[in-house]
Amino acid sequence: MNFARCVAMTEIALRGHVFNWLWRSREHRRAVRSDVISQVIPRYFRRYLPAAAAIAERQPVRDDANEKIWTIWLQGEDKAPPLVQACYRSVRKNCTQELVVLDEKSLRDYITLPDIIWKKRAEGKIKNAHFADICRVELLYEHGGVWLDSTGFATAPIPDWIMKEDFFVYLAGKNVGSPYSFMQNCFIRSRRGAYLLDAWRAMILDYWMHENSNFDYFMHQLLFKTLVMYDPRAQVHFAVMPHVDQDPTHALWWSYADKPFDQETFDRVTSGAFFQKLTYRGADNPPKGSFADVMINKMYKN
């Protein structure tokens, strides 16, 4: 572990935990930890900005009619659990773009990564979650289109205003997740050649070529935050990207999954975004007739 990383981790431990006084409320302590992480990690990640600075801007390829929605289930689509199968059905029902589900074998047909990345993954230094983070950006770099997590449940087509953007991601909202993550990477829209995607990819690869473990669960999001905070070209592109928070994409599952299904409520809650992020909580044996049961076992089956 390099000295600068040790210093950063020590600062997080001291400011975020040791001196984050126990008599504070849980919410206050969590907010303090988030503030510390949101400051310290991007400061550390500035060492990977030269990789972004070395990127030559290129004209984005506008081939929207042939773009695809990419996702990965490493064991193969036929081995995916019912919740994931339901998400795939929803995308194929509601979205006009072809959904391509890649697995461990087919992935190599679509992306090319440095040998050291494959090696570190084989050695267990890059876990599946962060390997998927690398792959989603690489797929868009090489092919363009859309990335949607396998737990993304589509309820409408992807809006035209999103597809007209060279690059778009939702930003971290106030009501769900960890605000310090800055942005959401379960959905990414990028044309091939978009500078924000190219520069972000360069930083991600540079990180993993030099380091042997993840810094934080949201490290790929925080690399993006570092990019748009400190890279002058990225600041320009990010400023013109629509800034939309992710909360409407998380409005359904956490609040309604176990409740009796109601179509009017479903339509109202899902009207704020074209997809809803699901989780495996309560998905194995959902209450009969609940939102989770209907979405997983009944909806979009015909």
Side-chain angles (χ1 to χ4, degrees):
M1 184 182 299
N2 65 63
F3 178 74
R5 178 164 173 154
C6 286
V7 170
M9 293 179 68
T10 300
E11 183 176 356
I12 291 171
L14 291 175
R15 293 177 55 202
H17 297 275
V18 176
F19 298 122
N20 191 0
W21 311 118
L22 292 174
W23 55 79
R24 292 169 172 165
S25 68
R26 177 181 295 182
E27 291 75 18
H28 189 178
R29 284 173 55 81
R30 184 185 180 194
V32 169
R33 282 194 297 272
S34 291
D35 286 345
V36 171
I37 292 170
S38 68
Q39 298 166 22
V40 175
I41 295 182
R43 190 165 66 236
Y44 173 76
F45 283 166
R46 290 178 68 173
R47 64 185 49 238
Y48 297 110
L49 285 168
I55 294 296
E57 290 197 53
R58 51 182 180 153
Q59 184 66 34
V61 177
R62 290 175 172 81
D63 188 26
D64 298 6
N66 296 312
E67 289 181 335
K68 295 174 172 53
I69 299 174
W70 305 97
T71 196
I72 296 172
W73 194 261
L74 291 172
Q75 297 85 356
E77 181 174 354
D78 60 333
K79 301 290 196 308
L83 179 141
V84 171
Q85 296 279 2
C87 289
Y88 294 161
R89 288 196 304 272
S90 74
V91 174
R92 290 179 171 129
K93 175 69 174 180
N94 289 295
C95 299
T96 59
Q97 298 85 358
E98 176 188 359
L99 174 67
V100 179
V101 183
L102 300 177
D103 56 28
E104 188 80 50
K105 182 177 180 181
S106 62
L107 188 58
R108 287 178 179 265
D109 296 331
Y110 287 88
I111 63 172
T112 302
L113 293 171
D115 289 342
I116 191 171
I117 301 294
W118 293 110
K119 182 174 183 291
K120 287 185 177 182
R121 195 219 167 190
E123 294 171 345
K125 295 174 180 176
I126 303 177
K127 306 301 182 185
N128 280 348
H130 289 101
F131 182 67
D133 287 340
I134 297 169
C135 292
R136 72 191 65 193
V137 173
E138 191 66 26
L139 282 163
L140 296 175
Y141 174 81
E142 297 192 26
H143 304 283
V146 168
W147 168 271
L148 182 63
D149 272 9
S150 290
T151 50
F153 190 95
T155 58
I158 302 174
D160 288 342
W161 68 265
I162 290 180
M163 295 307 299
K164 288 178 180 177
E165 295 292 326
D166 290 338
F167 181 92
F168 173 79
V169 291
Y170 288 95
L171 303 183
K174 297 179 180 179
N175 298 325
V176 297
S178 298
Y180 78 83
S181 65
F182 184 72
M183 51 83 72
Q184 176 196 83
N185 75 349
C186 68
F187 173 81
I188 307 170
R189 188 283 180 271
S190 182
R191 290 191 170 109
R192 186 155 49 94
Y195 175 74
L196 286 175
L197 194 284
D198 288 1
W200 187 22
R201 167 187 177 266
M203 292 180 68
I204 291 170
L205 292 181
D206 199 35
Y207 175 94
W208 283 113
M209 291 174 72
H210 290 91
E211 307 217 22
N212 293 319
S213 63
N214 66 290
F215 199 109
D216 181 86
Y217 182 80
F218 295 111
M219 57 161 287
H220 286 92
Q221 291 92 322
L222 292 170
L223 281 163
F224 182 82
K225 178 181 181 179
T226 306
L227 174 70
V228 300
M229 282 180 64
Y230 297 113
D231 180 88
R233 290 183 293 173
Q235 290 172 349
V236 173
H237 288 281
F238 184 66
V240 299
M241 184 195 88
H243 289 191
V244 181
D245 79 48
Q246 70 177 346
D247 286 352
T249 70
H250 288 64
L252 184 71
W253 194 257
W254 281 262
S255 298
Y256 294 94
D258 297 334
K259 295 180 179 179
F261 182 81
D262 176 73
Q263 187 68 52
E264 182 180 349
T265 301
F266 180 86
D267 294 341
R268 174 177 55 81
V269 174
T270 61
S271 64
F274 81 92
F275 81 99
Q276 293 294 312
K277 185 71 167 69
L278 310 190
T279 72
Y280 298 108
R281 181 186 66 82
D284 289 339
N285 189 27
K288 189 173 182 179
S290 65
F291 276 82
D293 176 44
V294 171
M295 293 169 70
I296 294 170
N297 298 315
K298 299 179 178 63
M299 198 172 285
Y300 305 132
K301 278 212 166 181
N302 297 323

